[in-house]
Amino acid sequence: MTSSHSEPEPGALVDLRSDTVTRPTAAVRAAMFEAEVGDDVYGEDPSVAALEARALELFGGPGSRLTTALFVPTGVMANHIGLRMNAGPGDEVVCDADAHIVAHEDANLAWHAGIQTRTTLTERGQLSVEQLRRLIRASGPYVVGTKVIELENTHNRAGGTVYPIEDLRAIRALADEHGLFVHIDGARLCNAAVATGTPLAEYGKIADTLSVCLSKGLGAPVGSVVLMPAEKREEAKVMRHRLGGGWRQAGLLAAAGKYVLDHHVDRLAEDHANAKLLADRLRGNGIRANVPETNIVMIEVADTVKTVTACRERNILITPAGPGVLRAVTHLDVTEQGVLEAAAAIADCA
Ligand SMILES: Cc1ncc(COP(=O)(O)O)c(C=O)c1O
């Protein structure tokens, strides 16, 4: 660990709503301050180029279809561009019914691209080969053909669950058998890699396109990368521009992204340990909580509004995640002390 914030005062705000709330550390701000920049729409920003090269080094490599990385403003845009490199109007993407692309991306595939999503309920947010065999359809007259399998790893709404790499490999083999593309929403792929010890590149090998967020637990202020085959790069850049994502001296942000890829991946283990601590404490107080695989704790309470409101009064922020369920997410700005305070407050207010 290289650059956490200093230990907060007891009673200070503990924000467990999401790992998107992290603020840049002094070291991240220094990297941004020192960044060399140019106009990225002209392809002239050296800090963007350095981030993209680093992302490719981590998530691509021998045997991978991912041979270029593109820096984009958000995870939503990264997923959108990635999926559109594989599918167009009238095509179908199959995914879990609670996937982020379905629940939280404003139906952008339908809105902007005429792409249909077909969903199925899953265990732990994970599609199985058996389910996919039932879902996949070959296109033909009067038949909407499946084009893409979309997988979310880790899965947000399922509570930070991690796909076993063998299952991903089996899905990749199935996709090859049917001539389908695989897009991974890897907003929190680094959490998956740290939790399992599986190298990032092994996950990368599964995907035709892969999105990774720099601005979640990794702690960059803004930004995602989307990886794809190099021959798609120009088309993806046009798509990014069409979506309003042609950015100029983006190197200031890319420098933050590169810094966190270089320095904040391994420390995600601390967030996982804090999530486990929180869940253990809650269960010790008779509250039902998942056994977190990464940094997301799902907590069952009778009245979510009451608990969220009462916790807020004690400077603990958590989010309702569905009927009777709260979500707490650990991250760079949450310390062990904060987690212990949160556990006590949630137990008192449940
Ligand atoms: C799994 C997943 N994918 C994509 C996103 C979108 O990221 P952004 O908010 O940067 O657009 C999120 C955001 O929380 C997410 O959890």
Side-chain angles (χ1 to χ4, degrees):
M1 234 256 309
T2 51
S3 55
S4 284
H5 303 290
S6 55
E7 194 67 26
E9 294 295 311
L13 188 78
V14 181
D15 192 344
L16 295 163
R17 289 171 301 166
S18 173
D19 47 9
T20 57
V21 301
T22 54
R23 290 140 310 146
T25 61
V28 170
R29 287 169 194 263
M32 296 173 75
F33 185 77
E34 286 157 16
E36 238 187 278
V37 296
D39 189 325
D40 185 52
V41 173
Y42 288 98
E44 291 173 0
D45 191 305
S47 297
V48 170
L51 166 67
E52 291 177 346
R54 179 74 180 122
L56 190 58
E57 205 170 72
L58 289 171
F59 299 99
S64 179
R65 296 163 181 80
L66 308 175
T67 48
T68 192
L70 186 68
F71 184 40
V72 299
T74 65
V76 169
M77 195 189 285
N79 279 335
H80 191 75
I81 292 174
L83 285 161
R84 289 191 69 176
M85 292 304 103
N86 303 320
D91 289 334
E92 178 179 273
V93 174
V94 293
C95 61
D96 162 60
D98 243 355
H100 198 276
I101 61 160
V102 171
H104 301 298
E105 303 193 2
D106 304 293
N108 62 12
L109 293 172
W111 186 271
H112 292 300
I115 293 172
Q116 164 168 301
T117 44
R118 195 147 65 95
T119 66
T120 191
L121 295 170
T122 67
E123 290 290 321
R124 298 167 18 85
Q126 298 180 357
L127 290 158
S128 67
V129 165
E130 296 67 36
Q131 277 179 315
L132 283 165
R133 279 196 193 284
R134 287 196 295 272
L135 271 179
I136 291 167
R137 287 189 290 228
S139 66
Y142 310 115
V143 180
V144 177
T146 307
K147 208 62 185 290
V148 186
I149 299 170
E150 195 266 356
L151 309 168
E152 188 174 316
N153 192 28
T154 68
H155 195 290
N156 180 343
R157 292 181 63 83
T161 49
V162 183
Y163 263 105
I165 189 74
E166 300 73 29
D167 293 5
L168 292 174
R169 289 187 183 127
I171 292 173
R172 176 74 252 176
L174 182 76
D176 289 340
E177 194 186 308
H178 291 266
L180 304 179
F181 296 105
V182 175
H183 173 78
I184 296 182
D185 176 350
R188 296 183 181 79
L189 193 65
C190 295
N191 293 85
V194 167
T196 59
T198 305
L200 291 165
E202 289 301 309
Y203 291 114
K205 277 184 200 162
I206 308 299
D208 294 282
T209 52
L210 164 68
S211 66
V212 179
C213 285
L214 305 165
S215 61
K216 306 244 159 13
L218 292 179
V222 171
S224 281
V225 285
V226 53
L227 294 105
M228 66 197 86
E231 60 270 22
K232 293 284 182 186
R233 184 178 175 85
E234 283 315 305
E235 189 186 340
K237 281 181 75 174
V238 170
M239 186 69 67
R240 180 181 66 176
H241 196 263
R242 186 173 286 138
L243 294 167
W247 41 5
R248 303 295 179 171
Q249 285 70 37
L252 293 174
L253 298 168
K258 180 165 183 304
Y259 183 92
V260 303
L261 279 180
D262 287 342
H263 297 94
H264 289 181
V265 174
D266 292 343
R267 67 147 305 285
L268 292 171
E270 291 177 35
D271 301 342
H272 300 172
N274 278 335
K276 188 171 174 308
L277 177 65
L278 177 60
D280 287 349
R281 285 287 168 122
L282 290 172
R283 279 198 303 276
N285 279 294
I287 296 169
R288 287 166 66 99
N290 65 335
V291 176
E293 294 175 41
T294 53
N295 66 331
I296 302 182
V297 185
M298 306 303 274
I299 306 158
E300 291 181 32
V301 294
D303 183 340
T304 53
V305 175
K306 182 191 121 202
T307 304
V308 168
T309 310
C311 282
R312 183 175 277 272
E313 280 161 18
R314 289 174 58 163
N315 259 352
I316 307 294
L317 305 187
I318 43 178
T319 318
V325 184
L326 301 174
R327 189 186 76 160
V329 187
T330 55
H331 52 75
L332 185 63
D333 290 0
V334 174
T335 61
E336 185 179 316
Q337 175 198 310
V339 160
L340 295 174
E341 288 172 16
I346 296 166
D348 286 348
C349 304

